[in-house]
Amino acid sequence: MSEVRGMVGREYGRVYAWDQVNEPMIRQWCEVMGVSNPLYTDAAYAATTEHGGIVAPPAMLQAWCLEGLHMNNYPPGSTTENPYEVLKLMEGQGYASVVAVNSDLSFERYVKPGERLYYTTRLDAVGEQKTTALGTGFFVTLVMSFFSEKPMGDEKVGSLLFRVFKFRPANLANPVKPVEEGNAAAALPKYKRPRPGISDDTRFFWEGVDAGQLRIQRCKGCGSLRHPPGPVCSSCHSFEWDYVEAAGTGQLYSFVVMHYPEVPPFDYPNPVGLIELDEGVRLIAGLVGVKRDEIRIGQRVKVEFQTFDDGLTLPMFRPLEP
């Protein structure tokens, strides 16, 4: 890993945005994300604010400099350096698997239509070796700094921290030693499903699951239903809430099929659905009783409660028809 650690601190060149910050893209992003703040889309309203006009949503920062549909298709003038070369180098050392990716956006100010952005990348850190149930590896942190081009000197407008855990799977890092046939079962580790984090805001939900009920949080102020549960209503900002018991039926709004990395004790391929309940809220849950090529958007589904390991009960959803 000496070559890997020697790369820490390396700076990579600029990656430009294809287009200036513009109102059509802002409007489309807000529509897709369900953002209705008039500061981003209503020119008349935005003109009355301290900004004097429309600004882009801060969370949209990374979107301006993405390459588009085709991989690595960046605008002229962008660097041809690969800021992720350290990950390729680690893969050559056997750390080929990825898990625990996270990213944190931070913002210096709003950006406005007409600005042209770019970012540079710095390999910020390669952590100490960590051993987990999945395997042994290293946390790698990269920081992308975003700038707006200015005649008097470019101005930093935000940054993105990207951290990934590159690891060597446990079965490769620690090969199982041969055992006698009679002791083979005892030699295999017994993995359990991770238990949910439970707080004062979510305890009612998991108590309901244990009781065979699908409970949805309801605001006492305006009656809005919300999931996942939280301390305050996003509609009327009331802190008072109770819950209703959902019928447990709905439709499949969207889904993914997890193939890799394989995390015990889940079975793969592992279909996970975004369920739109008949009550109007959506939740994420595992899909059961259906094959990959049988999954259809809009399929009617119904909840069923399955128990795993030492009494861990989870809501799963099964299609009501083929």
Side-chain angles (χ1 to χ4, degrees), residues 201 217-220 222 224-241:
D201 296 322
Q217 195 175 44
R218 176 176 61 184
C219 173
K220 283 187 175 181
C222 65
S224 297
L225 301 180
R226 61 181 185 261
H227 189 88
V232 62
C233 177
S234 60
S235 297
C236 72
H237 303 158
S238 171
F239 283 86
E240 300 297 323
W241 59 268

Side-chain angles (χ1 to χ4, degrees), residues 172-188:
L172 298 179
N174 301 295
V176 178
K177 296 180 180 180
V179 295
E180 297 180 6
E181 183 175 352
N183 297 328
L188 294 175

Side-chain angles (χ1 to χ4, degrees), residues 37-86:
N37 190 333
L39 179 61
Y40 307 141
T41 56
D42 187 333
Y45 170 82
T48 67
T49 70
E50 62 184 288
H51 306 288
I54 285 177
V55 295
M60 194 181 175
L61 181 62
Q62 186 186 12
W64 295 112
C65 295
L66 294 178
E67 65 266 51
L69 179 62
H70 302 289
M71 184 177 293
N72 297 323
N73 181 33
Y74 293 106
S78 298
T79 181
T80 58
E81 299 174 303
N82 178 13
Y84 302 103
E85 62 178 341
V86 65

Side-chain angles (χ1 to χ4, degrees), residues 59-320:
M60 194 181 175
L61 181 62
Q62 186 186 12
W64 295 112
C65 295
L66 294 178
E67 65 266 51
L69 179 62
H70 302 289
M71 184 177 293
N72 297 323
N73 181 33
Y74 293 106
S78 298
T79 181
T80 58
E81 299 174 303
N82 178 13
Y84 302 103
E85 62 178 341
V86 65
L87 303 183
K88 291 293 184 182
L89 189 60
M90 293 178 70
E91 290 171 4
Q93 301 298 319
Y95 301 97
S97 298
V98 174
V99 76
V101 175
N102 73 282
S103 62
D104 296 323
L105 276 168
S106 59
F107 317 102
E108 303 291 332
R109 64 165 175 84
Y110 286 97
V111 296
K112 298 182 178 182
E115 295 190 75
R116 191 188 187 201
L117 307 183
Y118 68 86
Y119 71 85
T120 61
T121 304
R122 182 183 77 255
L123 177 57
D124 191 65
V126 176
E128 297 299 320
Q129 181 172 285
K130 302 287 185 181
T131 299
T132 71
L134 295 176
T136 299
F138 302 84
F139 282 99
V140 179
T141 304
L142 297 107
V143 175
M144 293 77 164
S145 297
F146 289 80
F147 297 87
S148 174
E149 289 188 313
K150 298 289 183 181
M152 302 302 293
D154 297 345
E155 180 182 359
K156 185 177 180 180
V157 295
S159 62
L160 169 66
L161 180 148
F162 176 80
R163 182 177 291 118
V164 59
F165 185 58
K166 293 287 287 183
F167 69 99
R168 179 185 292 127
N171 62 331
L172 298 179
N174 301 295
V176 178
K177 296 180 180 180
V179 295
E180 297 180 6
E181 183 175 352
N183 297 328
L188 294 175
K190 295 181 179 180
Y191 295 102
K192 297 180 180 180
R193 290 195 177 221
R195 305 189 72 86
I198 298 177
S199 68
D200 290 340
D201 296 322
T202 62
R203 186 169 289 106
F204 79 95
F205 177 84
W206 293 108
E207 289 176 348
V209 169
D210 289 337
Q213 299 176 351
L214 190 61
R215 297 174 178 176
I216 303 299
Q217 195 175 44
R218 176 176 61 184
C219 173
K220 283 187 175 181
C222 65
S224 297
L225 301 180
R226 61 181 185 261
H227 189 88
V232 62
C233 177
S234 60
S235 297
C236 72
H237 303 158
S238 171
F239 283 86
E240 300 297 323
W241 59 268
D242 57 9
Y243 64 84
V244 297
E245 182 180 350
T249 53
Q251 66 175 347
L252 186 62
Y253 186 84
S254 184
F255 71 94
V256 296
V257 179
M258 299 292 297
H259 293 274
Y260 190 83
E262 293 192 358
V263 180
F266 299 95
D267 296 324
Y268 290 86
N270 179 19
V272 180
L274 178 59
I275 313 300
E276 185 168 77
L277 297 176
D278 290 338
E279 289 77 9
V281 298
R282 298 172 187 162
L283 57 82
I284 296 173
L287 300 175
V288 295
V290 63
K291 297 179 180 178
R292 165 63 185 89
D293 57 1
E294 297 173 346
I295 301 175
R296 297 289 183 272
I297 299 296
Q299 230 169 359
R300 294 290 294 171
V301 293
K302 182 176 178 61
V303 72
E304 63 179 52
F305 299 94
Q306 296 190 6
T307 301
F308 304 89
D309 306 324
D310 301 326
L312 172 63
T313 303
L314 297 173
M316 315 288 280
F317 281 82
R318 182 183 296 272
L320 288 174

Side-chain angles (χ1 to χ4, degrees), residues 20-49:
Q20 295 178 339
V21 177
N22 62 87
E23 294 184 22
M25 188 68 75
I26 293 173
R27 184 181 66 254
Q28 292 175 16
W29 189 93
C30 289
E31 181 179 348
V32 170
M33 300 302 292
V35 175
S36 58
N37 190 333
L39 179 61
Y40 307 141
T41 56
D42 187 333
Y45 170 82
T48 67
T49 70

